Amino acid sequence: MSEGGVVEGADRGGVGPRGWRLWWLGARPRTLGVGLVPVIVGTAAAGHVLWWRFGAALVVAAGLQVGVNFANDYFDGVRGVDTHERLGPPRLTQSGAASPRTVLSAALLSLGAAAVAGLALALATTPALILVVGALALLAAIGYSGGPRPYAGLGLGELAVFAFFGLMATCGTAYVMVETVPAAAWWTGVVMGLLAVAVLVANNVRDIPTDTAAGKRTLAVRLGDPRTRLLYRTCVAAAFTTIVLGMLVFILSERVGLTQWGLFGLAAWPLAIRPFEAAGAATGRDLIPVLTGTAATHAACGVLMALGLTLSHTV
């Protein structure tokens, strides 16, 4: 998932970060929760944890998230999509902080770690199903910015984020724990997916001018600035509405709804207020707090839902 703000200081004429800190910032830590938090939520939805599988699922999530970030850094850098006109601090490839070949190697290593951990989970559960899902996830990670027709430029990035960082991450984690997908995993997966999409949209609305100039027709470019801001607000509102809807369905049928303990996630709404309001008018660098605030909302909502679901199995 694309995130603005990587190698802070490199575009101000000073000496940028080096060594491990350079790569840590290049991995875009401010949005790593988009990949990791759904694993926590899916485990809580399962109501049972096998710790080695939980750890492996975290490696899969982190490997895919970091891998897609480095791959995006590499492909957008070598294709000239990322330029010095970007409003966020420069990326590793674009800024020259690391060679393109090194950044690509980092992407492949990250995706390789995800593949190994995913293979272990597949062998322990349902190999065919997990291997197919894993292969699709790896292809999606590369195809976001790479290949002859990157799907981010086809306006499909948001759909992929919803699928892989929402439903598949949450439901997939629940599945490797108990080899079934409880209703709570589907509901919370939708919530996680909508907030993950909001994080991406917050980034892409800021990049509309440079993406347009580079010919990268993201969904934000296709929709235009006003409608992209509306999309952002719709995703955030829909995420919290889904929690309430899931609980109402639970009243009618406990088998297909979301337990009332999931309402814990609504406590994250105060964190969403500031970015939600700022998304209406903020421009340029003022959109960066919208991105980080949305990522914080995603993380808080997920952790709170996980807490509620855990209590539902123990109280």
Side-chain angles (χ1 to χ4, degrees), residues 17-55:
R18 300 176 183 275
W20 70 268
R21 188 167 183 269
L22 172 70
W23 291 100
W24 170 246
L25 293 173
R28 310 176 195 178
R30 291 185 293 186
T31 56
L32 285 182
V34 172
L36 297 177
V37 173
V39 174
I40 299 173
V41 177
T43 301
H48 178 71
V49 57
L50 295 171
W51 289 105
W52 81 263
R53 295 187 188 184
F54 176 72

Side-chain angles (χ1 to χ4, degrees), residues 52 60 113-125 127 130-131:
W52 81 263
V60 172
V116 171
L119 178 60
L121 290 171
L123 294 175
T125 55
I130 301 301
L131 288 174

Side-chain angles (χ1 to χ4, degrees), residues 73-269:
D73 189 305
Y74 167 77
F75 286 112
D76 280 4
V78 298
R79 287 174 169 167
V81 175
D82 287 339
T83 68
H84 292 290
E85 283 70 42
R86 284 188 71 254
L87 294 173
R91 303 278 171 81
L92 294 171
T93 305
Q94 173 259 320
S95 67
S99 70
R101 182 176 180 179
T102 303
V103 175
L104 178 60
S105 296
L108 295 177
L109 284 173
S110 299
L111 295 175
V116 171
L119 178 60
L121 290 171
L123 294 175
T125 55
T126 309
L129 175 62
I130 301 301
L131 288 174
V132 169
V133 172
L136 289 174
L138 291 171
L139 289 174
I142 295 295
Y144 180 82
S145 300
R149 297 194 70 189
Y151 64 82
L154 300 176
L156 299 175
E158 286 75 8
L159 180 61
V161 164
F162 178 80
F164 289 100
F165 290 97
L167 293 178
M168 288 192 183
T170 309
C171 297
T173 299
Y175 183 83
V176 300
M177 293 299 167
V178 294
E179 298 193 39
T180 188
V181 182
W186 290 107
W187 286 103
T188 54
V190 170
V191 176
M192 291 287 91
L194 288 169
L195 290 176
V197 170
V199 173
L200 180 60
V201 172
N203 179 80
N204 286 351
V205 70
R206 186 202 62 203
D207 288 346
I208 287 176
T210 51
D211 284 343
T212 300
K216 183 178 180 179
R217 290 181 52 77
T218 62
L219 183 61
V221 171
R222 293 167 184 268
L223 291 177
D225 188 282
R227 286 188 290 179
T228 300
R229 293 173 188 271
L230 176 60
L231 174 62
Y232 168 84
R233 287 179 159 177
T234 300
C235 287
V236 173
F240 287 97
T241 301
T242 298
I243 298 175
V244 177
L245 180 60
M247 185 272 295
L248 294 176
V249 173
F250 183 82
I251 294 174
L252 299 175
S253 172
E254 295 184 6
R255 188 174 61 86
V256 297
L258 175 65
T259 172
Q260 63 269 26
W261 291 93
L263 294 175
F264 273 41
L266 296 179
W269 174 251

